[in-house]
Amino acid sequence: MRNKSYLRFAAAAVFLAAAAYGGAAFLSEAEPKPVIAVCEAAPSAPDLALDGTVFRSETVVSCGISSPVVLPREGEYVTGGSVLCIADADGDAYFALCDEAGQGAVIPALAWDDGISFFAAPCSGYFSSYLDGFEGAAPENYPSLKKSDNADAVGRIVYGASWYFAASCGDGDFREGQKVTLTLKRSYPATVQSVHDGTVILRVREGLYSVLYERRANATVSFPGEGGIVLPLKALHGGKEKYVYTVSLGLAKRVPVEVLYTEGDSVTVRSDELRVGMEVVVSGENIHEGRVIER
C-alpha cells in the first residue's frame, strides 16, 4: 500500500512539473523578445564664427554733483551704498575724515554728518568710467539697439552673475539649452538661452570682469559634443526623471539619463553610466531591473 501511494505521489509530481515547464515554454514563446539597440556617439558640429554684441547688467551713474570727484579706481569693485563720488570742494574735508577714521573711505553717515556732498553707489559691482551709450540695451533687443545720451554720467556699475552674447545665426545652428563654448579673447562655457527670428542669445556665468569693455565682438562658438549618446526615442522611460535600461551581463539595468535634445525618432542623452557601444532595451514586455534579457 505504501509503495502504491508513493508511486501515485511521484506520478502527480512529474505531471505537475511537466505542466509547469510546458506552460513556461508556451509563455516564453508567446512573449516577444526585447528589442535591443546599441549606443552611438552624438556627432559634433563644426565651429561657427559669429559677429555679435556683448551685453551686461549695467547701471549708469549720474551723481548730480557739480565738479564731482570719483573715488573708485577703474575696474574696482564697489559696494552698494558706499561713497562713490564727492564734490570737488569737499575733497579736503572728506580725505581728512578718512585719515581721522584710519581708513581709505568712510561710511556715508559720517560724510553726511560733516556736511560733505557725496553720491552713494546704487548697487554693488565693478565701476568703470567708460561709457558707450548702450549700457541700457538688452540682448532681447538685438540687433535693433538704441544709443543713450550719457552726457551727465560719471561712469557705470557692472553687476550680476551672468553676461550675454547675441548674434545672428542660421536655421538649425543652435537649440535652446544647448551647452557650447564661446571664445572671444578667452573661452567661456555658455548656454543657449534662446533662439528666435534668426538671433541666438548665449548666457555665460563666469568671467564678467574680463568683458567689462567688450561690446561688438567677433566670436567663435564650438560644440564639444556634449558627451552625448544617441538612442532610439522608444528606449527612454520616466516622467521628470528619465532613465533607460541597459543590458549588463544579460540582465536589465536601470540607468538615469539627462535628455539633451530629441530629433525625430532619436533622443540624445548624457549619463556617466552610458558608453558608446553599450546595449539598451528599446522595447519589450515587463522590462524591469534585473530581468533576464533573452536574445
Side-chain angles (χ1 to χ4, degrees):
M1 291 294 294
R2 181 175 299 178
N3 289 337
K4 290 183 179 180
S5 297
Y6 175 79
L7 290 174
R8 290 195 193 98
F9 178 79
V14 170
F15 174 79
L16 291 176
Y21 179 81
F26 173 78
L27 290 175
S28 177
E29 292 178 0
E31 186 175 283
K33 294 181 179 180
V35 177
I36 307 299
V38 177
C39 295
E40 298 180 1
S44 296
D47 292 353
L48 286 180
L50 299 177
D51 179 20
T53 301
V54 172
F55 296 88
R56 300 165 291 265
S57 297
E58 305 176 90
T59 294
V60 175
V61 178
S62 297
C63 63
I65 296 176
S66 179
S67 301
V69 175
V70 178
L71 301 179
R73 296 183 300 274
E74 183 67 27
E76 182 180 349
Y77 188 86
V78 299
T79 303
S82 62
V83 177
L84 187 72
C85 57
I86 58 175
D88 183 49
D90 292 331
D92 291 342
Y94 177 80
F95 292 116
L97 190 60
C98 290
D99 291 339
E100 183 180 334
Q103 53 193 34
V106 296
I107 61 174
L110 293 178
W112 180 269
D113 290 342
D114 276 37
I116 296 173
S117 297
F118 68 91
F119 180 82
C123 61
S124 298
Y126 298 105
F127 176 82
S128 173
S129 59
Y130 175 76
L131 299 165
D132 65 4
F134 294 107
E135 287 73 25
E140 292 77 15
N141 302 133
Y142 183 89
S144 301
L145 306 180
K146 295 182 179 180
K147 195 170 185 177
S148 301
D149 181 12
N150 296 324
D152 298 330
V154 297
R156 61 192 170 107
I157 296 176
V158 181
Y159 61 93
S162 302
W163 55 277
Y164 304 86
F165 180 81
S168 298
C169 66
D171 292 338
D173 285 346
F174 298 94
R175 65 182 183 279
E176 292 187 7
Q178 186 178 16
K179 306 297 183 181
V180 300
T181 299
L182 174 67
T183 301
L184 301 176
K185 294 178 180 177
R186 53 164 281 197
S187 296
Y188 311 89
T191 303
V192 177
Q193 177 167 286
S194 67
V195 185
H196 185 66
D197 292 337
T199 296
V200 61
I201 299 176
L202 305 181
R203 181 177 184 176
V204 183
R205 297 177 180 269
E206 63 178 57
L208 177 62
Y209 185 81
S210 66
V211 295
L212 286 184
Y213 307 102
E214 299 284 356
R215 188 65 73 188
R216 294 288 298 180
N218 294 318
T220 300
V221 178
S222 56
F223 307 85
E226 302 172 323
I229 297 292
V230 180
L231 305 170
L233 185 58
K234 290 182 178 180
L236 195 64
H237 302 275
K240 184 177 180 181
E241 302 294 331
K242 301 294 185 182
Y243 61 92
V244 299
Y245 285 109
T246 62
V247 181
S248 177
L249 300 177
L251 302 178
K253 179 183 178 182
R254 177 169 168 162
V255 173
V257 298
E258 174 191 357
V259 176
L260 298 178
Y261 59 94
T262 58
E263 186 174 355
D265 295 331
S266 299
V267 59
T268 299
V269 301
R270 179 166 51 205
S271 172
D272 293 337
E273 299 182 52
L274 284 183
R275 299 288 185 274
V276 174
M278 291 180 66
E279 293 182 324
V280 295
V281 180
V282 177
S283 62
E285 297 182 6
N286 302 316
I287 303 299
H288 54 79
E289 177 83 13
R291 177 190 163 164
V292 175
I293 302 299
E294 297 182 7
R295 302 289 181 170

